[in-house]
Amino acid sequence: MPLTDAKIRNTKPGEKPIRLPDGGWLYLEVRPSGAKLWRFRYRIASKENIYAIGEYFSDKREGHVSLDDARKERDRARALVNQGIHPAHHRQAERLAIHAENANTFEVVAREWIAKRKPGWTAYYLRQVERFLAADVFPYIGNLPIRNVTAAHLLASI
């Protein structure tokens, strides 16, 4: 029988972890500390694995996963498992891709551009460009990922 929010809220921690199954290999682990954690069991290459979905909380709090969200994540994870992909590895790859994309900021690209143009510029002009960008542009859009910078950002910073 599937879990309900009422059953989850009313489950109290014991001396040992308690597993409350929801179906489809999704379960809620209630730890002795009181933490309620969503887990998804799956098999790839005849080896059992557990995918940590997140911590349960009935209302929408940052970093917490509701019952409905856990079921949606289970369905996404099951689709990955059917393709032979570990959900945790997939999540890690997505995070690394986002991190790499966000590390490519306007300031980083602008400094690379300056380094390439530097040999053809005078020291005076180089100083002017660096000071202008540092004073008027980088404080406003320097930390934005380069993909997100639009003409409106550039016009607003000048």
Side-chain angles (χ1 to χ4, degrees):
M1 183 157 167
L3 287 173
T4 63
D5 277 321
K7 182 174 182 179
I8 295 170
R9 280 193 309 271
N10 293 330
T11 301
K12 303 298 178 209
E15 290 182 21
K16 294 184 178 181
I18 302 167
R19 288 185 178 180
L20 302 173
D22 183 56
W25 300 102
L26 176 70
Y27 65 92
L28 185 76
E29 184 177 310
V30 181
R31 298 260 174 103
S33 65
K36 296 177 180 181
L37 308 169
W38 290 110
R39 302 289 190 237
F40 172 66
R41 287 179 39 202
Y42 64 96
R43 284 187 175 277
I44 291 183
S46 300
K47 186 174 179 186
E48 185 172 305
N49 298 281
I50 297 176
Y51 173 58
I53 294 176
E55 187 173 358
Y56 167 80
F57 216 87
S58 57
D59 59 357
K60 297 285 184 182
R61 290 189 183 181
E62 178 102 20
H64 290 87
V65 182
S66 69
L67 177 59
D68 290 335
D69 293 340
R71 288 176 177 159
K72 289 175 188 172
E73 185 62 26
R74 173 202 57 202
D75 294 339
R76 281 193 288 269
R78 184 183 289 158
L80 290 170
V81 169
N82 290 340
Q83 297 172 24
I85 301 171
H86 288 276
H89 297 170
H90 185 261
R91 178 172 53 193
Q92 185 178 19
E94 284 180 336
R95 285 182 182 163
L96 289 174
I98 289 170
H99 180 70
E101 183 178 310
N102 289 342
N104 200 14
T105 63
F106 179 84
E107 184 172 355
V108 170
V109 172
R111 292 196 186 280
E112 286 177 15
W113 176 75
I114 290 171
K116 286 183 181 179
R117 297 292 183 143
K118 188 177 184 178
W121 290 346
T122 64
Y124 177 75
Y125 185 68
L126 174 64
R127 201 169 43 252
Q128 278 185 319
V129 170
E130 287 176 337
R131 284 184 181 167
F132 166 72
L133 289 172
D136 297 329
V137 180
F138 293 159
Y140 301 103
I141 62 171
N143 292 331
L144 283 178
I146 194 69
R147 290 176 153 241
N148 297 349
V149 177
T150 63
H153 286 113
L154 297 174
L155 291 173
S157 66
I158 296 176

